[in-house]
Structure formats: C-alpha cells, structure tokens
Amino acid sequence: MNDPAALYALLPEVALAISVLVIITVDLFLPRERKWLLTPLTVAGLAATALAIGAVWTTPPSGALAGGVYTVDRLALVLKLAAVGIGVLTTLFAPGYLVVRRLPLGEFNAILLFSTLGIFVLASSADLITLFLGLELMVMPAYLLAAFHKTDRFSNEGGLKYFLLGSFASAILLFGIAWTYGLTGSTVFTEIAEVFSGGLMNGAVLVAIGFLTVGATFKAAAVPFHFWTPDAYQGAPTPITGFLSVGPKLGAFALLLRLFGEALGPLRTDWLDVFVVLAVVTMTFGNVVALTQTNVKRMLAYSSIAHTGYILAGLAAFAAATDPKVATEAIEAVVFYLVGYSVMNIAAFAVVGMLQRDVRRYGGLGSFAGLAGRQPALAAAMTVLLLSLTGIPPTVGFFAKLYVLLTSVDAGLAWLAVAIALNAALAAFYYLRVVVYMYMRDPEAEPADVERSGVGRLALGLSVAGVLLLGIFPGILLGWLPA
C-alpha cells in the first residue's frame, strides 16, 4: 500500500478474518454442551463486519488500492453487505439441522466465514490474479461444505463431484487469464480495458474470451456447465445447500461484473451474443427439468440454475445497452436480483431442512403434504417464499424479474424479455405445486417431526419480512445501489 491511510478500506476484510480466528480459537476451548455459543459469536463477528462496511461506505477510497489490483467502491461494498446477510442467515439456519446429525458447529462456522471472505476479495478484485485468488478462497471452503456430512455417501459424492468439476473449471479460467495476459501484457483490469478499447483484434482474443466465459459461467452454474449442481446441492446438508445456492452465485456474478464489465467492457458487443444464448438456454433448461422433479430439494437446485439464467439476462442487457443510463440500470438489476434471490432461496432451503428432522428423509414432496394443518405459520412462510421465487407481487422476486425484464427491453432485447416472461410462467407450475401439497393434500401416515429451533424460526421470520419489505419498497435497496 502506497497510502497507509487507505488501509481503513480493508477494514471489513480484517474484521471478517479476525472473526474466523476468534471462532477457531474459542471452539478449541468450549465444552461440548456450550458449543451453541459459537452461533451468536459468529453472528456478532458478521455484525462487526457489517459495521466496518458501513464505516468504509461513508468515505470510500477515491481509487484502486495496492497498485490498482484491489478496489473498494460502492458496488463492492453492496456485494460484501449482501454476503454478510447470506452468512448471518446461514449461521442462524444451520444449528437446528447440524446438531441433530452431530456435525461440528465450530468447523462449519469457520469454513463458512472463509468462503464469505473469498466473496469479499472477488467483489473488490481489479486484477486477474486477485480475482483468481478470491475465487479459490471462495470455492475451496465451498467444496468442504458440500461434503460436510462425512458419514453420508450422498454428501461425499456431491462434494467430490463439485471439487473435481470445479477444479477443472478453475484450470480453464486460469488458461483464459494466462491467454489474456499474453495478449495484453497486463493483469490489471483498467490496463486490459485500455488495450481492448480499439475493439476485437484477432481470433486469439476470442479464444481468451471463450476460456474466461467457460470458467466464469461454470461457477455461476450456467447451462451447459451446471452438471455438478443437482448432486452437490442434494447431497450437502440442507442449510449448506442454501448457502451453496446463493453464496458462490453471488461471488460468481461479482466475478462476471468485474471481469466482463470492466476488463472486457470495451469488447461487450463481441461477447453479447454468447451471454444472450447462455441466458435463454440456462433459464429454460433449469425450469423444464425442475418441472419433472418430485424431490423439493432437487427441484430448488434446478430452479437455482434457472435463476442464473435470469441474472445472465441482466448482464446481457448491460452488454447490449448503448445508453450509459440503461447500462447502469442493467447492473443495478443484476445486483438487485442477486440480493433478493439470496434472501428468498436460502430461506426456502431452510424450510426444507426443518422438515428433515428425520435423517432418513430427503425433502420429497410428500414431506410437505398437509403442512398447513400441522404447521400453519411454517406453511405460510414457505408460501410467501415460493410466490417470490415464482415472481408474484408483492414480493422481491416480482420486482427482481420485472427490473431485469424492463432493462432487457430498454437495451433492445425485447425477445429476451419475452423469454423471461415465458420462463416465469413455466416456473409457476412447479413452485405452486408445493403450495398445493401444503394446503390441499392429506399428510403422510407418519409425518416427521418439524424442527422447532427458535433461532431458525427467527431467521425465517426475518427472511420473509425481507422478501415482503423489498417487494413493497424496492427503493430501500435501489437507493443503496451505486450509480
């Protein structure tokens, strides 16, 4: 750092790193019967991190740090705050599920925060090497989380598949990084953008873009690089699945926004068509396959792929926009969708986890039959979340889809907006099928007990309130998004 005063911009990262060290240390000395204290301790660490983000927000640094490889702007701070929110919800949802299965809470919280720290680095990356380091810091803990239930063969299988395919994708991304460096002589985004400002030079640039696109969209679980998703999501402990479905996705789109929005921004007309095709194929494939699933956990996994397609549509709108105002709105739509989707999807997976008190049950549709009669509040909460995932007002899911759709039209991609609307209608069939089971089907002969953790229910209540609040007053979040 040339300017020691700029070190304060790294306060959130420092606060989060200290939290990890404190949790690991305290976990060593806490007796088994007091391990529950690790949950409030982790939440306190994340709250301190959020306060640090607020402090930096008031006076963000004027330029990139460390010779231009790390940037702390308003976009990075919003993404970091969203990552903190994901971390808090995951921390609160997890104990009820993990304790029943005798899974270690301290290790879980520490690994979760390591992955969150990776998202922080990705959100602030302004250099290819920093970006790659942040990506690995995010996904390495995610591999561990996917296989966290070591005595469960499905968790091991999902974690192994995620690790092998993830490593393959990282290698491809690294090829793209090396190729880009060879073409431009730099790894700093601003310098790469300057070289590419003259437009597409030759086929070698296309090869670099191809490698970078494959590596980056794999991390976002876009079709056809999604094969790891259903098995990893289904095998992982359910609260962890909730995190995997939103945390790494937030990091992956931070990567896409930084890499394609800044370094490859001058070439956006050249990668536009690829992202349009990826968006349409991803949302359609995810919805069609989700429609055939009878396991709710697996259905949510495939629907997560579909939501990746919606968010990619926002990125395509950014690439197609000729008006700077529309391009800015497209970025806002992507960030708004990421935040809204994170809240509603992580809570939906948490409800599935609450119905898996019996470790032999794996979240089939039958688990939801007659839930409204047994647990009316839980059924009502799940209904709100499913309506939001469908995109029905007044929920955040409705406004997120509407915002992406409108920016697509403004960017001249009207037919992409039509594809979004048709896919939203298709998704209604499988989301509302769960609601039908909860309210119109008789319960199983011996339904499993429902988790009654007060902490989990508090987190669920906060999530539902957030889904409705952001749906009714979207300006609360939009006002925070950087222009």
Side-chain angles (χ1 to χ4, degrees):
M1 297 284 176
N2 296 327
D3 182 11
L7 283 173
Y8 90 98
L10 300 178
L11 207 55
E13 284 82 350
V14 173
L16 194 54
I18 291 175
S19 300
V20 176
L21 296 177
V22 169
I23 289 165
I24 292 174
T25 306
V26 172
D27 185 38
L28 289 174
F29 298 101
L30 269 183
R32 182 181 297 274
E33 63 273 14
R34 293 191 177 179
K35 293 289 186 186
W36 63 270
L37 286 170
L38 292 167
T39 297
L41 188 62
T42 305
V43 173
L46 287 166
T49 306
L51 289 175
I53 293 172
V56 177
W57 180 275
T58 55
T59 49
S62 56
L65 311 175
V69 303
Y70 205 79
T71 185
V72 182
D73 54 12
R74 295 290 171 89
L75 175 62
L77 293 173
V78 169
L79 294 173
K80 289 174 187 178
L81 200 57
V84 167
I86 291 170
V88 170
L89 289 178
T90 306
T91 303
L92 294 176
F93 282 132
Y97 187 96
L98 299 183
V99 171
V100 172
R101 289 157 179 80
R102 298 180 181 277
L103 297 175
L105 206 53
E107 293 174 24
F108 167 76
N109 288 338
I111 297 172
L112 174 71
L113 294 192
F114 268 124
S115 188
T116 306
L117 188 57
I119 298 173
F120 275 32
V121 177
L122 270 177
S124 282
S125 58
D127 172 86
L128 290 172
I129 297 173
T130 309
L131 179 139
F132 187 75
L133 291 175
L135 180 66
E136 292 306 298
L137 182 57
M138 179 188 73
V139 296
M140 287 291 182
Y143 300 150
L144 294 176
L145 289 175
F148 197 70
H149 197 168
K150 289 180 283 190
T151 58
D152 183 274
R153 71 181 179 88
F154 294 107
S155 182
N156 288 325
E157 179 186 337
L160 183 63
K161 187 174 287 188
Y162 188 16
F163 169 69
L164 291 176
L165 293 177
S167 301
F168 181 65
S170 294
I172 292 176
L173 184 67
L174 204 52
F175 270 127
I177 289 173
W179 204 292
T180 305
Y181 175 72
L183 288 168
T184 62
S186 175
T187 58
V188 179
F189 289 170
T190 52
E191 295 174 5
I192 293 171
E194 190 177 339
V195 173
F196 286 148
S197 60
L200 184 62
M201 293 183 292
N202 49 49
V205 179
L206 281 178
V207 174
I209 293 176
F211 278 134
L212 294 172
T213 304
V214 172
T217 53
F218 174 92
K219 304 299 182 184
V223 176
F225 316 111
H226 66 285
F227 293 107
W228 58 275
T229 312
D231 292 332
Y233 284 10
Q234 187 177 9
T238 305
I240 293 176
T241 307
F243 172 76
L244 294 178
S245 70
V246 297
K249 197 185 295 292
L250 179 72
F253 274 96
L255 181 158
L256 286 166
L257 288 173
R258 290 295 184 194
L259 181 58
F260 285 84
E262 294 181 6
L264 302 180
L267 300 178
R268 57 187 184 180
T269 54
D270 297 302
W271 52 262
L272 164 64
D273 292 340
V274 175
F275 275 77
V276 168
V277 172
L278 281 175
V280 174
V281 172
T282 301
M283 70 175 82
T284 305
F285 177 86
N287 281 323
V288 169
V289 180
L291 196 60
T292 65
Q293 303 300 312
T294 57
N295 183 294
V296 178
K297 196 173 174 182
R298 203 169 175 85
M299 180 269 282
L300 289 174
Y302 276 106
S303 77
S304 173
I305 296 172
H307 285 280
T308 296
Y310 299 134
I311 306 172
L312 283 174
L315 203 56
F318 162 76
T322 52
D323 184 345
K325 183 183 175 188
V326 175
T328 301
E329 289 174 351
I331 296 298
E332 289 177 351
V334 169
V335 177
F336 187 89
Y337 204 113
L338 282 169
V339 175
Y341 173 73
S342 297
V343 176
M344 56 192 176
N345 205 54
I346 202 169
F349 271 114
V351 174
V352 177
M354 289 177 181
L355 296 176
Q356 290 181 271
R357 188 75 176 175
D358 184 340
V359 297
R360 296 165 299 178
R361 300 180 189 233
Y362 288 92
L365 265 174
S367 304
F368 287 83
L371 185 65
R374 293 186 292 133
Q375 296 284 333
L378 194 61
M382 187 62 171
T383 301
V384 172
L385 297 171
L386 291 170
L387 291 177
S388 185
L389 286 165
T390 306
I392 294 176
T395 60
V396 67
F398 165 75
F399 199 83
K401 281 194 177 68
L402 179 66
Y403 206 20
V404 170
L405 192 146
L406 290 177
T407 51
S408 299
V409 173
D410 290 343
L413 299 173
W415 66 272
L416 182 58
V418 172
I420 293 171
L422 291 176
N423 272 280
L426 183 61
F429 284 100
Y430 59 80
Y431 283 132
L432 298 183
R433 183 172 56 184
V434 181
V435 178
V436 170
Y437 266 76
M438 288 193 294
Y439 286 91
M440 299 180 187
R441 295 292 177 91
D442 294 328
E444 294 176 317
E446 295 182 0
D449 289 338
V450 177
E451 179 197 318
R452 299 178 186 279
S453 161
V455 173
R457 300 231 168 190
L458 171 65
L460 183 60
L462 291 174
S463 302
V464 172
V467 164
L468 292 174
L469 191 66
L470 289 177
I472 298 170
F473 305 107
I476 294 174
L477 177 58
L478 288 173
W480 275 71
L481 297 182

